[in-house]
């Protein structure tokens, strides 16, 4: 049983990019689920904004296509009564007066402006919101990633947004932080006496973070080709996961207590640059192959031309501090891999001395596996005695907890939690400006090293685990990628 969700205070949520993929596929369904759970006050409004010439009815019809699969028509109609639409162009004046009048100017009312658009529009949109004084009081702005494509462009965006919204009004979203298992990392690490004493280089051998996707870049290839896997996944989602694993215990869950600790981790990352990028990173790009049982084209075919953009990255990161010196963090992510799986594997050191006969079988490492998706849960791999007679034989088995089985509820989507955190004004699970900058400061030299090397990414067949060099990257150190996930 889960506790009932408390009602939040009435709010207006304005989604710029309201007809886009993220809004239609993720943001609106997330709000719908919160509605079904009784968390949305009836006076709250959700307003989609985009350039398309739609009206409220047209927008609702568009959303109905996605949402009707989720629930019955009566509830859906009731939800859609709270949803409206305004056609607006961030770069043209038309419609903005009416929009401002619609939103109103009561500073005590929570107004959330979610910028789910290309980052080039962030500055224009914020400028207009400021012009109409929609940035006052309890107004908040949510910035979707990518925030820039390097440190300079991220600073430009943050400076421009910062002229209109204060840092405490600015919510830089990384939806990975809203995933249940990521929040569970906080509970596991800091709610149990068991792990924290072992959470250091005396006991942990290495950490692996894998975010594998079966999908290709599909209709996002125009965006993706300018980004690539390092900008799209590593600079944000994967570094945030790394921070949650590696940070020191914060003194509380106060937003800045947590974010201060994550920032220290980012500052402690060993640089990867032209001097060591070839040893510590592997870039790949998928070619034709078989994904989920179907033949799929390669990335250049989907794109329509050759490209040096990576759709796969594996890298070895190191954190230069007392807790983590000598403990590699292996990260890998890619499109068109054999299965959709995101997980964090904490591999512990072997026991210092074996008392068992060779005949008992090998002693395997303890591993703590946090599965983000699918089948969210936690597995702790232990060595036990194989039951029954036949001498003492060792077995490596998981203590396996699936959250869905244990709690009998499906996990909410990350956006459900995060959107309501914005309404509540809680930025704990959002990135502070200095975190984004520190992440770019680390990722930038990797991108520069790759650009200077001017080498094409290594090809890999769709449906494989990336280029063989990614296997070599970890095997060179006498370790292997977690087979359980493959
Ligand atoms: C997004 C990336 O931020 O995260 C996408 O831009 C990626 O390329 C997606 O597919 C993965 O999110 P999730 O929640 O499906 O793992």
């Amino acid at each position: 049983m889960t506790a009932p969700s408390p009602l939040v205070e009435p709010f207006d949520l304005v989604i710029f990019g309201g007809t886009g993929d993220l809004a239609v596929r993720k943001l609106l369904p997330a709000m719908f689920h919160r509605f079904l759970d009784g968390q949305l006050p009836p006076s709250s409004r959700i307003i989609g904004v985009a350039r398309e010439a739609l009206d409220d009815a047209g927008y609702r019809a568009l959303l109905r296509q996605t949402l009707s699969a989720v629930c019955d028509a009566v509830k859906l109609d009731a939800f859609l009564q709270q949803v409206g639409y305004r056609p607006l162009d961030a770069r043209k004046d038309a419609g903005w007066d009416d929009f401002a009048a619609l939103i109103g100017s009561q500073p005590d009312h929570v107004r959330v402006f979610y910028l789910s658009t290309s980052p080039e529009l962030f500055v224009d949109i914020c400028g207009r919101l400021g012009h109409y004084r929609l940035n006052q009081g309890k107004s908040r702005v949510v910035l979707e990633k990518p925030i820039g494509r390097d440190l300079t462009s991220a600073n430009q965006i943050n400076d421009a947004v910062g002229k209109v919204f204060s840092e405490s009004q600015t919510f830089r979203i990384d939806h990975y932080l809203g995933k249940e298992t990521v929040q569970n990392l906080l509970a596991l690490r800091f709610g149990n006496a068991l792990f924290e004493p072992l959470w250091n280089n005396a006991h942990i051998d290495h950490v692996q973070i894998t975010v594998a996707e079966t999908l290709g870049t599909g209709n996002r290839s125009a965006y993706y080709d300018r980004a690539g896997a390092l900008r799209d996944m590593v600079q944000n989602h994967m570094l945030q996961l790394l921070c949650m694993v590696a940070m020191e215990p914060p003194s509380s869950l106060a937003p800045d207590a947590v974010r201060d600790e994550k920032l220290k981790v980012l500052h402690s990352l060993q640089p990867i640059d032209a001097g060591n990028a070839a040893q510590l990173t592997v870039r790949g790009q998928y070619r034709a192959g078989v994904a989920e049982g179907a033949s799929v084209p390669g990335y250049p075919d989907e794109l329509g031309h050759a490209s040096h953009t990576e759709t796969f990255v594996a890298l070895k990161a190191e954190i230069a501090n007392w807790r983590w010196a000598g403990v590699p963090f292996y990260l890998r992510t890619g499109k068109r891999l054999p299965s959709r799986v995101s997980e964090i594997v904490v591999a512990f050191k072997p026991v210092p001395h074996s008392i068992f006969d060779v005949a008992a079988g090998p002693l395997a490492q303890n591993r703590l596996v946090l599965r983000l998706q699918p089948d969210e849960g936690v597995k702790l791999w232990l060595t036990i005695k194989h039951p029954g007679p036949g001498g003492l034989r060792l077995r490596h088995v998981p203590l396996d907890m699936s959250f869905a089985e244990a709690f009998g509820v499906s996990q909410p989507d990350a956006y459900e939690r995060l959107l309501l955190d914005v309404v509540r004004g809680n930025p704990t699970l959002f990135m502070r400006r200095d975190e984004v900058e520190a992440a770019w400061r680390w990722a930038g030299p990797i991108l520069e090293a790759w650009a200077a090397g001017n080498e094409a990414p290594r090809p890999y067949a769709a449906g494989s685990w990336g280029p063989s060099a990614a296997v070599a990257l970890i095997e060179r150190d006498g370790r292997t990628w977690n087979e359980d996930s493959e």
Side-chain angles (χ1 to χ4, degrees):
M1 282 288 290
T2 47
S5 314
L7 207 69
V8 291
E9 68 178 291
F11 63 90
D12 285 339
L13 167 64
V14 178
I15 303 176
F16 288 90
T19 53
D21 190 57
L22 181 75
V24 175
R25 235 174 18 88
K26 291 285 188 184
L27 305 181
L28 270 302
M31 294 312 282
F32 184 40
H33 281 116
R34 292 299 87 221
F35 168 85
L36 291 177
D37 215 19
Q39 236 184 334
L40 303 194
S43 63
S44 293
R45 298 179 299 176
I46 301 167
I47 300 158
V49 169
R51 281 185 306 187
E52 281 89 333
L54 289 175
D55 56 10
D56 289 348
Y59 192 53
R60 289 175 188 153
L62 176 82
L63 299 178
R64 201 171 260 119
Q65 289 168 13
T66 319
L67 297 178
S68 54
V70 180
C71 158
D72 66 65
V74 177
K75 290 189 180 129
L76 182 52
D77 283 344
F79 171 69
L80 290 177
Q81 284 312 308
Q82 293 186 235
V83 178
Y85 181 83
R86 284 294 176 279
L88 276 186
D89 186 331
R91 294 189 166 143
K92 294 190 181 142
D93 294 336
W96 279 89
D97 287 343
D98 290 347
F99 172 73
L102 174 77
I103 300 303
S105 54
Q106 316 89 303
D108 287 351
H109 187 63
V110 173
R111 290 169 299 183
V112 176
F113 300 101
Y114 196 119
L115 310 196
S116 171
T117 64
S118 132
E120 286 91 62
L121 295 176
F122 288 1
V123 176
D124 292 292
I125 296 171
C126 287
R128 292 197 187 260
L129 293 174
H131 173 78
Y132 285 99
R133 301 180 62 76
L134 296 176
N135 57 340
Q136 309 288 307
K138 286 188 177 175
S139 286
R140 286 151 203 163
V141 67
V142 184
L143 306 181
E144 209 10 276
K145 65 164 264 282
I147 298 178
R149 48 179 293 105
D150 53 22
L151 181 59
T152 310
S153 51
N155 279 340
Q156 282 163 357
I157 291 172
N158 282 324
D159 285 345
V161 173
K163 289 195 178 116
V164 180
F165 291 96
S166 67
E167 183 62 27
S168 65
Q169 290 177 297
T170 306
F171 289 70
R172 295 177 193 81
I173 200 161
D174 184 314
H175 77 280
Y176 267 60
L177 291 179
K179 291 190 188 270
E180 283 283 309
T181 316
V182 178
Q183 295 166 57
N184 231 315
L185 241 174
L186 291 173
L188 267 176
R189 281 192 64 191
F190 307 123
N192 294 289
L194 210 58
F195 296 114
E196 207 46 33
L198 305 180
W199 212 257
N200 55 50
N201 54 7
H203 301 285
I204 292 180
D205 177 68
H206 72 279
V207 176
Q208 299 180 17
I209 303 178
T210 294
V211 178
E213 298 183 89
T214 50
L215 294 177
T217 55
N219 58 10
R220 294 171 75 231
S221 50
Y223 148 75
Y224 194 89
D225 200 51
R226 283 184 286 123
L230 194 93
R231 287 190 179 93
D232 187 51
M233 296 296 291
V234 179
Q235 186 269 346
N236 33 72
H237 304 323
M238 298 192 77
L239 282 188
Q240 286 294 320
L241 298 182
L242 177 146
C243 286
M244 296 294 271
V245 175
M247 71 181 178
E248 293 299 313
S251 58
S252 72
L253 279 187
D256 282 336
V258 174
R259 298 187 301 178
D260 285 347
E261 295 308 336
K262 288 196 291 165
L263 182 66
K264 286 183 208 160
V265 174
L266 293 168
H267 283 158
S268 309
L269 282 168
Q270 291 271 27
I272 301 180
D273 53 25
N276 56 6
Q279 291 80 51
L280 299 179
T281 68
V282 174
R283 321 166 63 214
Q285 190 187 79
Y286 62 83
R287 293 290 184 269
V290 176
E292 295 181 315
S295 296
V296 293
Y299 179 74
D301 307 316
E302 281 180 348
L303 197 63
H305 57 81
S307 160
H308 272 196
T309 298
E310 78 286 353
T311 60
F312 175 97
V313 181
L315 60 83
K316 176 178 168 183
E318 298 210 55
I319 301 170
N321 65 19
W322 273 52
R323 188 187 281 262
W324 295 113
V327 180
F329 282 66
Y330 299 98
L331 274 45
R332 68 175 166 168
T333 183
K335 304 276 185 200
R336 287 281 188 234
L337 300 185
S339 51
R340 178 172 184 256
V341 52
S342 298
E343 66 178 18
I344 299 169
V345 179
V346 179
F348 290 87
K349 290 195 167 163
V351 294
H353 164 70
S354 173
I355 62 167
F356 304 101
D357 288 344
V358 176
L363 274 168
Q365 271 174 329
N366 294 123
R367 288 184 176 207
L368 177 67
V369 180
L370 301 148
R371 176 72 72 112
L372 274 58
Q373 61 196 26
D375 312 327
E376 292 90 340
V378 181
K379 263 187 204 177
L380 179 61
W381 286 86
L382 299 171
T383 298
I384 57 149
K385 175 193 170 294
H386 187 81
L392 204 163
R393 287 168 294 138
L394 300 174
R395 286 272 309 276
H396 199 48
V397 292
L399 276 181
D400 191 352
M401 192 181 73
S402 143
F403 296 158
E405 277 173 27
F407 300 107
V409 287
S410 60
Q411 303 297 313
D413 186 79
Y415 283 101
E416 295 180 41
R417 161 73 195 257
L418 294 175
L419 281 166
L420 289 206
D421 274 357
V422 183
V423 172
R424 292 185 199 99
N426 179 358
T428 307
L429 297 177
F430 293 80
M431 291 183 293
R432 216 167 48 191
R433 175 175 179 160
D434 48 8
E435 284 181 78
V436 175
E437 288 173 10
W440 275 125
R441 228 171 251 122
W442 179 78
I446 303 177
L447 292 162
E448 284 159 24
W450 288 346
N454 199 29
E455 276 179 30
R458 295 164 195 265
Y460 63 95
S464 73
W465 278 101
S468 55
V471 176
L473 174 84
I474 191 165
E475 290 193 347
R476 264 202 305 275
D477 295 344
R479 302 179 174 108
T480 53
W481 292 109
N482 190 37
E483 278 178 15
D484 191 38
S485 52
E486 300 194 352

